[in-house]
Amino acid sequence: MRRTDRRLTQRIAACATPGVHRTLSAVEECAESTKLWCGAAAVMAAAGGRRGRRAAGSGLAALIVAQLVSNGLCKQLSDRPRPPKEWIPHDEVEDRPESSSFPSGHTAAAAAFTAAVLPAFPPAGFLCTVPAALVAFERVQSGAHYPSDVAAGAAIGLAAAWFVRRSPRLAVRWLLP
């Protein structure tokens, strides 16, 4: 796993042109502290009617669950260091968090929000897939995460979206056997 992580990290970090690097940095900055997803939810709630409000609520609920699991639980239990600086051929590697690398909280939030919005409001969900994919790619390209951290974050996000979507039915089954 470490060999695959190293090989993929080095390839992805080396492939970005200055324009791609600037674009990825801008997307990551927007996604920092979930600003991008909260903004998308606000637009959906304001312009999407009842369907938009429902999708926004589902997206934010899934995002919260994903953040609690990834940042509140997994990062506290894991003490994985960030990828070595010598693997990253650009200076963005100097601006990385001190927290555990595993899993990617940015990716967990992006995947959770997008996966929860998609079934509730497909046009908005499809629009969210582009920045979500860019966030995941940027986390490896910048040297902040290994590809396996990003994959784990995506899995947490998808599970959070599934949980939020299923939780009303699960609660009914639990309360009314």
Side-chain angles (χ1 to χ4, degrees):
M1 176 67 95
R2 182 162 167 81
R3 193 175 9 191
T4 301
D5 266 342
R6 180 183 46 120
R7 193 173 30 235
L8 286 172
T9 300
Q10 289 174 324
R11 282 186 185 162
I12 291 170
C15 76
T17 64
V20 170
H21 185 71
R22 281 191 301 276
T23 300
L24 291 173
S25 292
V27 169
E28 189 277 332
E29 181 60 35
C30 289
E32 187 68 34
S33 302
T34 67
K35 294 180 290 205
L36 177 62
W37 313 116
C38 291
V43 170
M44 280 187 276
R50 182 171 182 254
R51 191 175 190 190
R53 287 188 297 277
R54 193 178 75 157
S58 294
L60 291 175
L63 182 146
I64 290 167
V65 170
Q67 290 290 284
L68 288 171
V69 171
S70 64
N71 295 335
L73 180 65
C74 293
K75 281 190 185 282
Q76 304 309 312
L77 297 175
S78 171
D79 192 25
R80 186 178 196 186
R82 302 285 172 167
K85 291 180 180 183
E86 55 272 7
W87 290 5
I88 314 301
H90 51 76
D91 62 353
E92 192 172 327
V93 73
E94 299 300 330
D95 187 29
R96 302 186 301 180
E98 297 290 323
S99 62
S100 174
S101 181
F102 183 85
S104 170
H106 283 78
T107 304
F113 185 84
T114 302
V117 167
L118 194 57
F121 196 8
F126 284 119
L127 287 174
C128 290
T129 60
V130 173
L134 290 174
V135 165
F137 186 79
E138 186 280 337
R139 300 316 289 160
V140 177
Q141 188 275 329
S142 67
H145 289 285
Y146 296 96
S148 58
D149 298 337
V150 169
I156 289 168
L158 293 173
W162 177 88
F163 175 77
V164 165
R165 195 140 168 84
R166 295 284 190 209
S167 60
R169 288 186 210 136
L170 294 172
V172 168
R173 275 194 221 143
W174 184 70
L175 293 171
L176 304 170

